Amino acid sequence: MATHFISSTLVLATFLLFVSPPAAVAQVINIFDMDAEPVQAGKLYYILPVVQRQGGGISTAPKNNESSCPLYVVQEKDTTSFGLAVTFNLALPNTTNVTFSADMNIVFGEAINCVESPVWTLALDEPTGRRYVALGGLGMARGPKAVNNWFRIESCGDLGVFVRDDGTWVLGVGAPPLRIKFKKA
C-alpha cells in the first residue's frame, strides 16, 4: 500500500524557486484510497495514519485552553477515531482525480463550531514560533496572501505532528512527516 504525506505549498514553493526542474512532461500519478480507487476532488475522505497504533484520524482542537476558537488541525489520540472527513479542491479546473504534487485546498466537510472557514491554512503560533495547520483559509484564492492555503500530497512531506504541552497532537511544519492513507467517508 502506498503511503502519502501532506506538504505545504509554501515550503515547496520556496524550494522550487531555487531548483528548476528539467523541461519535461510531468508524469501524473494518482493517489489511491484504501479501496484501491482514485481519490477524487469534492468527495469526502478521512485522513488516517498508515500505522494504526500511532493515533487516529485528523480532526480539530482549539488553538489554546483559553478559548474554543480559532481551531488547529490535530490528530486524534484515539486509534479507533476516524476524525473529521475532508474534501480536496484542486487548483486545476476540470480535474477529478487527486494526484501527487497537485495544488489543492483541503477543507473539512463537516460543520465546524467556529466562524472561521473550514479551509486549511498555515498559521504562525506566536508562543512557539512554529507554523501549525489551522482553519480559516481562503478557498481557491490565489496570490501572495493565499499561499498558505495550498497544500500538496507528496511521497515525502513537510507536515507532521507536534505534541503540545497540553498533550494535543497538532499538525505542523517541521515535525517528522506523518504517513497517511485515505478512507472514503
Side-chain angles (χ1 to χ4, degrees), residues 18-83:
F18 296 106
V19 178
S20 178
V25 176
Q27 183 178 9
V28 175
I29 302 173
N30 288 328
I31 304 292
F32 293 89
D33 65 19
M34 293 173 60
D35 295 325
E37 295 181 10
V39 173
Q40 296 184 341
K43 296 202 175 173
L44 290 170
Y45 293 89
Y46 296 108
I47 299 175
L48 303 170
V50 169
V51 181
Q52 185 176 359
R53 68 182 179 279
Q54 295 181 342
I58 301 300
S59 188
T60 62
K63 177 180 175 180
N64 57 46
N65 291 329
E66 289 85 44
S67 62
S68 59
C69 296
L71 297 174
Y72 278 162
V73 176
V74 301
Q75 183 183 10
E76 296 281 348
K77 293 181 206 173
D78 178 358
T79 59
T80 63
S81 173
F82 288 157

Side-chain angles (χ1 to χ4, degrees), residues 6 43-49 55-62 68 71-78 80-88 106-114 116-120 134-135 171 178 180-185:
I6 297 179
K43 296 202 175 173
L44 290 170
Y45 293 89
Y46 296 108
I47 299 175
L48 303 170
I58 301 300
S59 188
T60 62
S68 59
L71 297 174
Y72 278 162
V73 176
V74 301
Q75 183 183 10
E76 296 281 348
K77 293 181 206 173
D78 178 358
T80 63
S81 173
F82 288 157
L84 299 174
V86 300
T87 61
F88 304 101
I106 302 174
V107 183
F108 280 112
E110 300 178 31
I112 305 297
N113 295 331
C114 291
E116 64 217 350
S117 141
V119 177
W120 291 21
L135 298 189
L171 202 60
L178 176 62
I180 59 171
K181 58 189 175 185
F182 302 96
K183 178 177 178 51
K184 283 185 202 145

Side-chain angles (χ1 to χ4, degrees), residues 90-168:
L90 301 172
L92 291 176
N94 303 320
T95 54
T96 304
N97 293 345
V98 175
T99 61
F100 280 99
S101 300
D103 289 335
M104 68 186 80
N105 291 139
I106 302 174
V107 183
F108 280 112
E110 300 178 31
I112 305 297
N113 295 331
C114 291
V115 296
E116 64 217 350
S117 141
V119 177
W120 291 21
T121 188
L122 286 178
L124 178 65
D125 184 65
E126 295 292 335
T128 64
R130 292 185 175 138
R131 290 183 301 149
Y132 291 132
V133 180
L135 298 189
L138 305 170
M140 303 308 285
R142 293 288 192 178
K145 291 184 179 183
V147 72
N148 288 338
N149 305 318
W150 294 97
F151 293 85
R152 292 179 176 174
I153 298 172
E154 300 286 343
S155 59
C156 60
D158 300 307
L159 294 182
V161 176
F162 290 99
V163 179
R164 290 194 318 206
D165 291 340
D166 66 1
T168 305

